[in-house]
Amino acid sequence: PGPRAHLHLARRLTTMVSELAHDFGDDFLWGAATAAHQVEGNNTNNDWWRWEQIPGKIADGTRSGLACDHYNRFPEDFAQWRGMGHNAHRLSLEWSRIEPRPGVYDSPAIDHYRQVLGTLLGLGMEPMVTLHHFTNPLWLADIGGWESDEVVERFRLYARHCIDALGDLAHLWVTINEPNVYAYHSYTAGLWPPQVKDFRATTAVLRNMVRGHAAAYREIRESVHGAAAKVGVAQHLRVFQPWRPWSPFDRIAAALPHRAFNHWFLQACTDGWAGFPLGLRHRLPEALGTLDFIGVNYYSRDIVRFTPSAPGELFARTFPAPGRPVSDYGMELYPPGLYRVIRDTWDRYRRPIYITENGVADRVDQFRPAALIGHLAEVARAQREGIDIRGYLHWSSMDNFEWSEGFKMRFGLVAVDFETQERTPRPSAALYSDVIRRNGLAWEQVQNFYPSGLPYFVGGASSSSG
Ligand code: GAL
């Protein structure tokens, strides 16, 4: 064959590879997520701010301080993300700003969030609003926080205020971000404020979070904006895999956190029962049927090994799978786990799913491109099997204050220089824009970044056709 034939062949191959392997379907939400305390700056009135001031609490010695100064810079930030193609954004409201003292609501703070949401809508970006993302107003922390039963009524009133004041500007509401992570870090592991290590306190907190969620769910759905609103939680889901699949001990050691950490909360909000091991058939009838959707936050897999010498860890040691790539955080990069948690969540609850967080701490952007395409390929695989997934919100829009790790862990599509507040998109940001522009994955992208996912797209229906 002569050069013309070669050219012809090359052209054909190029059109083939630029064809879509998967179309995510109409109305799919594309964007990223942030949380108030991690990006806004100067959230001086909450329990995290107070705790950060104690030397030694934050791993890299930093404090949230001005963070990304997003409280002031949100218009430019949103415009940048819109320019990257995002049509949605997940953010959280800072309770300590909205209700600085019990029962006292601050109208400038509400005006601020009205501007924030209005700016998003003006840009054509759908907001998803979280009411509680780890931080508590100081006054609440001082009356016992989520351990005290009083929190349920307090949270209900705060939710009512937010939906009345902001409900015309947002339809997607997350009541609580990662109740399981919050309860575990703050009340079992004692790593986050208020640094309690007590199993009974953990169960009390989780039960109050279910009750608080249920109360907020009702406030939102029964408000004047309720007909248009959809309410859910963002749950952190991990794959817990037994170290030796043949060992009944390792299997039980992995099954326990799967049940308690991954599913206890979602189960309670589905059937109104607080089950084993965090409550022995304790009824929580108000929680029955209080999830319009489930937000999935997925990061990693843990290998679990039964360890008799670790009673404090419920006889289970967890570690990343040996020999696999890990993020700056030391977490394994395991995209198939996203499919596994989606499948498991769908099979149990049959609720529409949003990926409300997924990302990787990767300062130099060496893993993020492949992680992004890999995880999206796994979302696509689940969609192709008929699972109702409505959006993907990457963690995070930009680098921010990573809780007790400080500013060292870099999760942003956009890098932030915290000295100058300069924003610089990482290469993955452009890759993500490319996916968004197509509303789909190209063969070429799967081939280049996640070849093991190629078989998902051979034959079968895509979401748009089925
Ligand atoms: C989640 C949390 C986010 C963010 C992320 C990255 O658990 O909701 O706020 O910190 O992890 O580690």
Side-chain angles (χ1 to χ4, degrees), residues 303-367:
I303 306 298
V304 188
R305 181 180 191 155
F306 174 70
T307 311
S309 58
E313 294 154 70
L314 294 175
F315 306 103
R317 282 265 153 83
T318 61
F319 47 91
R324 298 260 318 155
V326 293
S327 69
D328 296 350
Y329 218 136
M331 288 193 218
E332 185 199 356
L333 295 162
Y334 182 60
L338 179 54
Y339 169 80
R340 288 173 62 177
V341 300
I342 290 171
R343 168 58 51 216
D344 184 37
T345 303
W346 176 253
D347 288 347
R348 285 167 190 259
Y349 312 110
R350 295 271 154 180
R351 306 313 292 159
I353 290 172
Y354 290 90
I355 308 306
T356 36
E357 286 182 29
N358 168 242
V360 41
D362 180 17
R363 177 187 284 265
V364 299
D365 214 36
Q366 56 176 326
F367 297 124

Side-chain angles (χ1 to χ4, degrees), residues 35 38 90 133-134 177-178 181 192 236 297 299 329 331 357 395 400-403 411:
Q38 295 178 275
R90 175 174 174 235
H133 197 126
F134 297 159
N177 179 70
E178 299 188 342
V181 168
W192 288 0
H236 189 107
N297 293 2
Y299 288 88
Y329 218 136
M331 288 193 218
E357 286 182 29
W395 185 272
N400 58 50
F401 181 69
E402 178 54 26
W403 307 112
F411 278 91

